[in-house]
Amino acid sequence: MAKNNNKNHTKNNKEDERLTSEITDENGEQLSEQELLEKYDKESNYRKNIGKWAWIVTFLGVYLTVFHLYTGFYGTLQSQIQGAVHVGTALGVIFLLYPVKKGLHKNGIPWYDVVLAFTAIFVGYYKIIQFDAILDARVHGYSSLDIIISILGVLLLLEATRRCVGLPIVIVASVTILYALFGNLIPANMLSHAGFSFEKVFTDLWFRENAVFGIPVQVSAKFIFLFLLFGVLLVHTGIGQFFNDIAYALTGRFTGGTAKAAVAASAMQGMVSGSSIANTVASGSFTIPMMKKAKFKPEFAAAAEASASTGGQLMPPIMGAAAFIMIEYTGTDYATIMLAALIPSLLYFSGIFMGAHFEAKKQGIVGMPKDQLPSAKKLLLSKGFMLLPLVAIIGTLFAGYTPQRAALMGILVAFLASFVRKDTRMSFKKIIFVLEQGTRVALPVIAAVGTAGIIAGVVGMTGLGSKIASGIIALSQGILPLALLFTMIACIILGMGLPTTANYVVTATVAAPALINGFGVDMLSAHLFVFYFGIVADITPPVCLAAYAGAGIARANPFKAGTTAVRLAIAAFIIPYIFVFNPILVQSGDYTTLELILAVITALIGMMGVSSSVMGYFKRKAFAWERIVLVAAGLMLISPNHYVDILGFVLIAVVWLFQSRREDDMPKQGPGQPLQA
């Protein structure tokens, strides 16, 4: 953007900067952006002042990042060795950074955490030191030291996960361990099993390839870490603000432009970020005050940002970390997964966009004056090079290379692109900082996938997965819609306590096979189904942390923000059912281009009907009967049956005609007035 445009944009947003700095929680407590993150995002509760130990943390952080860059370029090590470095180093850094309790020992690191940190590193690297002996022990039996190491490893992993991820996933993992040990004590039913010895459970969990160091950790060590580093690099080149500016330039002048810009900005930021809460706070600090200034209600402003930010994990090319694990579980390449997720993610954001439009029309909120908006042309001319890293990743993936190679290419291009402008150029000190941050942002993911590995390990060890799958089939009485409903509820409940990655590992191990083998659901559709509902838990009451974070910025009622987010993101609760019954939307099966285009168009019109019904506005404010007809018509249009589609389209046309004959009931003044600087 040109200098004059920048000055004008800055001047016009002085009030927004003032609003951004005044963040409160639901109790009226003043919070900074970082404090808001710490309250709702467990990952942000790390020590800020650690004194001389900062050098050790920096060394370990840089070392782990450089290790992944090196192995990414020259080839990863044997999976168990790669995983041992990955998990062992991360656990050590977690104990140095995260206190045993929030707010405890904010300054410095207590001696017991230092002991735990280096013990965790040792038990991780023990797998490398005794690699051949451990392989031999699988046949001839483990030594007493092996057993002690395995117990320490599992316990330290659980404690590290509790500190940086949260207690719910630790409780689930602990219950599964108890189930493995004492399943024989369960009264005779389908869940009981013979039970395993203490030695077998812990050594299998720590030393075998199908538990802690199983597929989730292997994928994290190969792909996820590098993509997280790529995201950090892009953040420090200013791409987030670039996305915000582009979004406002493209959508700000339309009806409800501030809300539409927030949706567009979050969709674009979702291409490089996978954290719902962090996205909400980072983008929302700018977009929520703008929406409030445009006279959107605080609850709606918080909900729009939270629902859009949550959808970031669904948006290719860099979706949430769980998408990379999907590669291994489905046996497909990442380019295929990206293509499969593309249309559903665009439908998701289109649904939120429509909801924002109908709400703005209902409230009479118009767009922003042109002189308050940045120029898209000038932005692209001055900062368009920031898109090159994304182009590099997409091009590398579709050229047939691995996600690992694509991430490395993206990192290289982003690093080189940072030198184009003086304000994005990185000094040696900044490079060290980015390398350390690469490890820091990966810590919660590494802990989560390791603990999810415990759950997956027990599921495989005890046969629990097939038992639960059989239970889902029996409970649904062989009726697919009921099975999908039960699976959705399970994913949302798990998602309220488990990170998306861990949630996906559990549901992909247990629920997805039931849908695939028991009901013949397309494999990609089944895995994307559980992936979607694990993500939308972040905006589903009562535990909707992304909505709560947005409410803190908007000074809104958190629960109302959550319910409004569900209304706005209603598409997220419908789209997974669409692509299960109509896999063409995930580009699976045999279809023609015309059939794909028709499926997308009918899905969009169907979502328009559902969204207008939920928001209470179509061409005019909708009566109760009109809302019922609109939602019914919308659901008909997402059916793969063409005759039902036609009926749904006719019903929507009928409502349109009825509303066209009514007098205009839009507000004439107040919120609909153009925004002033």
Side-chain angles (χ1 to χ4, degrees):
M1 191 162 39
K3 287 185 177 179
N4 289 340
N5 209 351
N6 262 331
K7 289 179 180 177
N8 188 44
H9 198 47
T10 302
K11 179 181 178 182
N12 289 330
N13 289 319
K14 282 182 178 178
E15 182 180 346
D16 303 318
E17 292 173 4
R18 178 181 63 79
L19 286 170
T20 300
S21 65
E22 297 175 1
I23 298 174
T24 61
D25 67 0
E26 66 272 22
N27 299 316
E29 180 186 353
Q30 290 287 124
L31 297 174
S32 67
E33 184 177 312
Q34 179 60 38
E35 288 171 334
L36 189 71
L37 267 176
E38 290 177 10
K39 178 168 184 176
Y40 295 112
D41 190 9
K42 189 78 173 177
E43 300 172 11
S44 300
N45 284 318
Y46 55 83
R47 298 181 174 106
K48 307 301 184 296
N49 303 307
I50 56 177
K52 61 185 179 181
W53 290 104
W55 290 98
I56 301 298
V57 170
T58 299
F59 170 78
L60 291 173
V62 172
Y63 154 71
L64 189 57
T65 300
V66 171
F67 168 79
H68 283 89
L69 288 171
Y70 178 85
T71 55
F73 187 79
Y74 288 104
T76 52
L77 306 176
Q78 200 275 347
S79 62
Q80 292 299 293
I81 295 176
Q82 182 88 9
V85 176
H86 186 68
V87 173
T89 309
L91 292 183
V93 179
I94 288 171
F95 283 112
L96 292 175
L97 282 178
Y98 290 85
V100 66
K101 184 180 179 182
K102 181 180 177 181
L104 192 64
H105 296 293
K106 286 186 175 180
N107 299 316
I109 302 174
W111 66 267
Y112 54 82
D113 275 348
V114 174
V115 172
L116 290 175
F118 287 99
T119 303
I121 292 174
F122 173 73
V123 298
Y125 280 70
Y126 181 84
K127 287 172 64 71
I128 301 173
I129 299 168
Q130 298 292 326
F131 184 73
D132 292 332
I134 290 170
L135 290 179
D136 184 64
R138 293 177 182 178
V139 178
H140 301 98
Y142 293 98
S143 67
S144 297
L145 180 59
D146 292 339
I147 297 170
I148 293 171
I149 290 294
S150 67
I151 295 171
L152 281 174
V154 171
L155 294 179
L156 287 169
L157 172 60
L158 291 173
E159 171 58 12
T161 305
R162 184 193 68 81
R163 293 189 184 196
C164 69
V165 178
L167 190 59
I169 184 175
V170 176
I171 292 175
V172 174
S174 300
V175 169
T176 60
I177 292 173
L178 292 174
Y179 172 74
L181 291 170
F182 306 112
N184 58 317
L185 299 181
I186 299 176
N189 62 43
M190 64 179 295
L191 292 180
S192 62
H193 71 92
F196 297 102
S197 68
F198 206 80
E199 174 186 339
K200 176 175 174 54
V201 169
F202 282 93
T203 53
D204 275 16
L205 289 178
W206 192 251
F207 293 127
R208 295 278 180 175
E209 291 90 351
N210 58 352
V212 170
F213 295 91
I215 288 175
V217 160
Q218 290 172 27
V219 173
S220 177
K222 291 178 182 177
F223 309 145
I224 296 175
F225 189 100
L226 292 174
F227 276 97
L228 292 173
L229 174 62
F230 173 71
V232 170
L233 196 57
L234 290 187
V235 166
H236 290 283
T237 58
I239 196 169
Q241 187 57 49
F242 172 67
F243 282 154
N244 279 342
D245 289 341
I246 281 287
Y248 274 90
L250 295 176
T251 64
R253 67 184 184 278
F254 299 112
T255 299
T258 52
K260 291 176 179 177
V263 175
S266 295
M268 288 187 285
Q269 291 208 36
M271 293 189 293
V272 297
S273 171
S275 173
S276 304
I277 301 169
N279 245 12
T280 300
V281 173
S283 298
S285 296
F286 175 72
T287 60
I288 289 175
M290 292 288 284
M291 285 187 272
K292 288 179 64 180
K293 185 180 176 183
K295 305 303 181 186
F296 280 108
K297 294 178 181 178
E299 288 78 13
F300 181 87
E305 180 55 52
S307 54
S309 292
T310 297
Q313 295 184 73
L314 308 172
M315 190 70 180
I318 306 171
M319 302 155 67
F324 296 101
I325 299 175
M326 200 182 296
I327 298 171
E328 300 295 331
Y329 280 141
T330 61
T332 56
D333 58 81
Y334 192 63
T336 302
I337 290 173
M338 278 200 310
L339 282 175
L342 180 61
I343 293 175
S345 64
L346 291 176
L347 291 175
Y348 174 88
F349 283 105
S350 297
I352 301 175
F353 203 84
M354 292 174 189
H357 175 80
F358 291 129
E359 179 68 15
K361 294 289 285 185
K362 184 168 67 175
Q363 300 297 331
I365 299 172
V366 298
M368 299 173 67
K370 189 174 180 180
D371 62 356
Q372 291 187 19
L373 296 170
S375 165
K377 181 179 179 181
K378 291 178 180 178
L379 275 170
L380 290 172
L381 287 174
S382 62
K383 295 185 178 180
F385 68 91
M386 289 183 172
L387 297 176
L388 289 176
L390 293 176
V391 173
I393 281 185
I394 296 172
T396 306
L397 285 170
F398 282 106
Y401 291 96
T402 64
Q404 191 175 45
R405 184 62 60 179
L408 286 171
M409 185 61 69
I411 290 168
L412 177 61
V413 174
F415 178 72
L416 295 175
S418 71
F419 288 93
V420 173
R421 290 172 60 95
K422 186 177 180 180
D423 58 332
T424 60
R425 206 167 294 155
M426 293 194 294
S427 63
F428 177 75
K429 185 177 180 181
K430 185 68 173 287
I431 293 172
I432 295 298
F433 175 77
V434 168
L435 291 175
E436 181 189 347
Q437 288 299 308
T439 291
R440 287 199 180 211
V441 299
L443 296 177
V445 174
I446 296 171
V449 296
T451 303
I454 292 176
I455 300 168
V458 171
V459 167
M461 187 188 307
T462 61
L464 180 62
S466 60
K467 295 172 184 176
I468 294 179
S470 299
I472 291 174
I473 296 171
L475 190 62
S476 64
Q477 298 181 348
I479 302 171
L480 178 57
L482 280 179
L484 293 173
L485 177 65
F486 296 147
T487 303
M488 177 191 77
I489 293 170
C491 291
I492 291 175
I493 292 174
L494 283 172
M496 291 177 183
L498 273 63
T500 305
T501 311
N503 187 355
Y504 172 72
V505 170
V506 175
T507 53
T509 305
V510 175
L515 298 177
I516 297 167
N517 301 323
F519 296 92
V521 174
D522 174 77
M523 182 176 61
L524 269 179
S525 298
H527 280 269
L528 283 171
F529 185 90
V530 299
F531 179 61
Y532 257 68
F533 284 116
I535 288 171
V536 299
D538 279 345
I539 53 169
T540 306
V543 184
C544 41
L545 296 181
Y548 289 171
I553 298 173
R555 305 180 194 176
N557 180 292
F559 190 79
K560 286 184 179 179
T563 55
T564 305
V566 170
R567 289 169 55 215
L568 257 179
I570 192 67
F573 295 86
I574 297 175
I575 292 169
Y577 288 89
I578 301 177
F579 58 63
V580 165
F581 289 106
N582 193 9
I584 189 174
L585 289 176
V586 294
Q587 301 180 58
S588 181
D590 296 324
Y591 59 89
T592 65
T593 303
L594 179 61
E595 288 173 332
L596 177 62
I597 293 172
L598 286 175
V600 172
I601 291 173
T602 55
L604 281 170
I605 298 174
M607 286 197 308
M608 180 181 68
V610 174
S611 181
S612 61
S613 172
V614 170
M615 302 312 294
Y617 191 97
F618 190 36
K619 185 176 173 61
R620 302 279 187 271
K621 287 183 180 178
F623 294 137
W625 73 267
E626 291 174 331
R627 296 177 72 169
I628 293 172
V629 172
L630 284 169
V631 73
L635 293 174
M636 289 178 185
L637 275 157
I638 62 180
S639 164
N641 186 301
H642 295 308
Y643 295 106
V644 177
D645 286 344
I646 292 170
L647 178 58
F649 186 81
V650 169
L651 289 175
I652 286 181
V654 168
V655 175
W656 177 272
L657 290 173
F658 265 94
Q659 292 199 346
S660 297
R661 299 178 65 178
R662 294 212 314 261
E663 291 186 8
D664 190 358
D665 53 9
M666 284 182 60
K668 300 294 189 293
Q669 298 179 14
Q673 297 301 313
L675 297 178
Q676 302 298 322

